[in-house]
């Protein structure tokens, strides 16, 4: 079942617009280069000359062996892609984290190798230098054909390192499993089958390119030209990857596979099959024993480790913290994101508890788990934490490794751990701060009987008591929610207009908009968003630079947007209400979402 799902998911990805950037390289270098060329004219002449007179043959200087192109080249290129993609997806992130290397180092290595191979195809002497280290391997050569069996495989390895398949449910499951280290037989089967499925369309194009070259005489006679063109295409692809041009190219083509991907994502059998144990492992299996709504201490197993962290701050020397080293202390782990309005309301309580109980043995750790790409920039996180007054240690979990190791799914989420390292309470979302503080006080007293605790903190609880509010509304195409317009919400749609009737709890666009995966931005001078909302507070996550003007129920509000992307307040009323907000966004400003309280 997993192999079939992997093949299907990979094949759908392989026919999606994501293969467009690598297609020219596959057609020329993967296919046309392996075509049978014309037989050199001087070869037959030399044979006849040798047959007619032994003297002429004896006095002729022996020509160097002719390098031939392996007929296996298309298959070797595709095999390299499968091997590279599989290894990078399953183990790349973990290996790089263990080595302390940046997460994009393998991608840059692939770009460099791709460039070198391209130069080698244009300048054969450089290709010979690149292949020389492999010539000592007996299974990669024979007496008459240097490195014949090697041809194509290094190219495939490089392409696999830079090839980024379009995201889908199968790839998401593989990525999460790889980032959390849950690499069992099921994960390997799913990953390999996905890689093969994604590579099959590429193999088709490679073989089609070879067939085309063999049927057209002009191609057969100009293998040298094909070789140079192949090298130039590789160099162009490498340069394009440096400047992220393939991603822009993909946005110009409608994603004709999105409906199929959606059908797969919504299938319950598929969801169950690719859950790969629901991310459950030996570390987090007992977390199910905790009731997230409990107001009394429970026993929920040893706390899972903090893993896959990119960097730390607010620690001595920004050094990492190991939970094992905190035995004897009560630990509170808070999962948060700095632009999340729910987290912003929760943070004052974390700050108050840190200030009040740190000397009594409480260690608060914030695990920053990003929702948006801009939240992965470490300096943005540092600035966001400073703006919220956070002084306790923060771990930047850009790969969501710790997030998934705790099987978490909420911003914010609290995990209370006793001095023995056992999880004693789990709480998802805002609220229950009084109960949470009472439980951490109990654990502090258990860890150090007779300890003198300070008075209970009196931080105001701003958790909305009225659940009748508009849900968070994302504006990017990958997470869009609550769009009330009549147009197709896609990167291909440029012109929008307000609908005659707009549903409650929805937004609509008017004007020329450029829709990206995580945000929207005007294509021209300015464009507008109309929001039908319910709630006491309305905020908007914005980035870029410019003045955003909003009509909030007839009142003008101006927002000066600049610096680190963050949340800006549009409305704060005395009580929950419903109304209409029309926001005019200037060029140069990016709009990410609306949040409500």
């Amino acid at each position: 079942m997993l192999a079939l799902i992997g093949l299907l998911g990979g094949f759908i990805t392989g026919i999606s617009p994501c293969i467009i950037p690598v297609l020219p390289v596959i057609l020329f270098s993967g296919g046309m280069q392996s075509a049978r060329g014309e037989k050199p004219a001087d070869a037959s002449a030399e044979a006849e000359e040798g047959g007619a007179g032994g003297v002429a043959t004896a006095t002729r200087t022996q020509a160097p062996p002719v390098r031939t192109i392996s007929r296996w080249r298309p298959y070797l290129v595709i095999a390299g892609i499968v091997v590279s993609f599989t290894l990078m997806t399953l183990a790349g992130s973990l290996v790089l984290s263990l080595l302390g290397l940046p997460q994009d180092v393998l991608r840059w290595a692939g770009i460099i190798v791709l460039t070198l191979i391209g130069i080698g195809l244009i300048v054969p002497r450089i290709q010979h230098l690149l292949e020389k280290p492999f010539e000592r391997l007996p299974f990669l050569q024979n007496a008459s054909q240097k490195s014949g069996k090697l041809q194509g495989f290094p190219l495939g390895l490089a392409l696999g390192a830079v090839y980024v398949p379009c995201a889908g449910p199968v790839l998401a499951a593989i990525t999460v499993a790889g980032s959390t280290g849950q690499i069992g037989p099921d994960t390997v089967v799913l990953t390999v089958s996905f890689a093969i499925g994604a590579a099959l369309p590429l193999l088709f194009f490679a073989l089609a390119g070879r067939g085309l070259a063999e049927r057209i005489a002009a191609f057969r006679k100009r293998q040298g030209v094909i070789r140079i063109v192949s090298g130039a295409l590789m160099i162009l692809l490498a340069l394009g990857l440096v400047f992220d041009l393939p991603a822009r190219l993909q946005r110009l083509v409608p994603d004709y596979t999105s409906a199929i991907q959606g059908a797969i994502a919504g299938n319950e059998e598929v969801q169950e099959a690719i859950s790969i144990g629901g991310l459950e492992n030996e570390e987090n299996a007992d977390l199910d024993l905790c009731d997230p709504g409990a107001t009394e201490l429970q026993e929920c197993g040893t706390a899972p480790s903090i893993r896959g962290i990119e960097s730390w701050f607010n620690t001595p020397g920004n050094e990492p913290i190991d939970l094992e080293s905190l035995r004897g202390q009560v630990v509170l782990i808070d999962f948060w994101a700095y632009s999340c309005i729910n987290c912003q309301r929760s943070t004052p309580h974390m700050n108050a508890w840190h200030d009040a109980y740190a000397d009594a043995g409480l260690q608060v750790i914030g695990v920053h788990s990003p929702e948006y790409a801009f939240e992965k920039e470490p300096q943005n996180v540092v600035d966001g934490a400073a703006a919220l007054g956070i002084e306790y240690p923060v771990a930047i979990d850009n790969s969501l490794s710790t997030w998934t190791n705790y099987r978490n799914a909420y911003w914010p989420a609290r995990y209370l751990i006793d001095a023995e390292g056992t999880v004693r309470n789990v709480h998802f979302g805002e609220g229950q701060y009084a109960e949470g503080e009472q439980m951490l006080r109990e654990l502090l007293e258990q860890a150090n009987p007779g300890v003198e605790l300070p008075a209970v903190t009196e931080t105001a609880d701003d958790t909305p008591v009225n659940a009748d509010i508009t849900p968070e509304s994302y504006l990017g195409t990958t997470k869009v929610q609550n769009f009330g317009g009549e147009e197709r919400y896609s990167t291909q749609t440029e012109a929008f207009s307000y609908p005659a009737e707009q549903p409650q709890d929805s937004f609509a666009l008017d004007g020329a908009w450029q829709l990206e995966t995580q945000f929207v931005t005007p294509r021209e001078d300015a464009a507008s968003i109309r929001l039908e909302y319910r709630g006491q507070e309305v905020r908007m996550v914005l980035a870029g630079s410019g003045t955003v003007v909003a009509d909030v129920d007839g009142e003008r509000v101006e927002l000066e947007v600049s610096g680190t992307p963050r949340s800006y307040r549009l409305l704060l009323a005395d009580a929950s209400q419903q109304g209409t907000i029309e926001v005019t966004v200037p060029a140069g400003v990016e709009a990410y979402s609306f949040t409500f309280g």
Side-chain angles (χ1 to χ4, degrees), residues 8 27 72 225 270 304 306 330 335 369 379 506 518 525 532 540 561:
L8 179 60
L27 278 169
W72 286 94
V225 175
V270 172
I306 297 175
V330 176
F335 288 93
S369 308
Q379 190 57 50
S506 71
Q518 300 217 348
D525 293 337
E532 298 291 341
M540 195 172 184
V561 179

Side-chain angles (χ1 to χ4, degrees), residues 334-350:
D334 177 51
F335 288 93
W336 69 294
Y338 76 81
S339 70
C340 163
I341 187 173
N342 310 84
C343 302
Q344 293 170 8
R345 287 194 293 257
S346 173
T347 297
H349 298 272
M350 304 302 107

Side-chain angles (χ1 to χ4, degrees), residues 199-424:
L200 286 176
L202 297 178
L203 178 61
F204 168 81
F205 283 107
L207 295 176
R210 182 170 73 183
L212 180 66
E214 290 180 343
R215 284 172 173 78
I216 300 177
F219 284 130
R220 294 199 305 271
K221 295 178 180 179
R222 293 174 174 81
Q223 284 294 307
V225 175
I226 291 177
R227 177 189 176 95
I228 293 174
V229 171
S230 299
L233 287 172
M234 287 185 207
I235 296 173
L236 288 174
L237 175 59
L239 287 173
L241 289 166
V242 171
F243 295 102
D244 200 30
L245 295 180
R248 300 180 189 180
L249 175 63
Q250 291 165 15
R251 289 196 292 267
L252 296 176
V253 181
D255 185 3
Y256 40 81
T257 64
S258 58
I260 306 176
Q261 294 279 26
I264 294 177
N267 186 283
E268 293 184 2
E269 293 184 7
V270 172
Q271 289 178 348
E272 182 178 354
I274 66 177
S275 65
I276 311 180
L279 300 179
E280 182 176 312
N281 57 46
E282 293 181 358
E283 290 191 55
N284 61 34
D286 291 337
L287 287 178
D288 287 336
L289 300 177
C290 269
D291 176 7
T295 57
E296 296 182 354
L297 294 172
Q298 299 175 311
E299 297 274 350
C300 315
T302 302
S305 61
I306 297 175
R307 57 164 62 170
I309 300 303
E310 179 175 311
S311 60
W312 289 77
F313 63 93
N314 289 349
T315 64
N318 290 334
E319 291 295 316
I321 294 177
D322 184 0
L323 287 182
E324 291 287 339
S325 68
L326 298 178
R327 292 295 170 87
Q329 293 181 259
V330 176
V331 178
L332 177 64
I333 293 181
D334 177 51
F335 288 93
W336 69 294
Y338 76 81
S339 70
C340 163
I341 187 173
N342 310 84
C343 302
Q344 293 170 8
R345 287 194 293 257
S346 173
T347 297
H349 298 272
M350 304 302 107
N351 290 340
W353 294 347
H354 168 70
D355 294 340
Y357 301 111
D359 292 339
L362 174 67
Q363 177 65 73
V364 180
I365 298 176
V367 178
H368 188 271
S369 308
E371 287 187 89
Y372 299 108
F374 66 76
E375 290 180 321
K376 293 185 177 183
E377 292 295 329
Q379 190 57 50
N380 289 352
V381 181
V382 172
D383 293 341
L388 293 172
I390 294 175
E391 297 180 350
Y392 49 80
V394 174
I396 298 181
D397 186 25
N398 280 347
S399 63
L400 299 182
S401 296
T402 298
W403 167 284
T404 48
N405 200 34
Y406 275 74
R407 296 161 65 191
N408 189 46
Y410 297 90
W411 287 278
R414 307 194 302 263
Y415 293 79
L416 186 58
I417 304 167
D418 66 19
E420 301 298 322
T422 301
V423 178
R424 302 297 301 276

Side-chain angles (χ1 to χ4, degrees), residues 328-330 359-361 419 441-453:
Q329 293 181 259
V330 176
D359 292 339
R441 290 173 68 93
E442 288 182 32
L443 292 181
L444 289 172
E445 291 173 343
Q446 292 176 12
N448 187 9
V451 65
E452 294 186 8
L453 298 178

Side-chain angles (χ1 to χ4, degrees), residues 181-195:
Q182 304 308 304
I183 306 173
D186 288 348
T187 312
V188 174
V189 169
L190 188 64
T191 305
V192 173
S193 59
F194 179 90

Side-chain angles (χ1 to χ4, degrees), residues 149 275 572 579:
K149 296 180 181 178
S275 65
L572 180 59

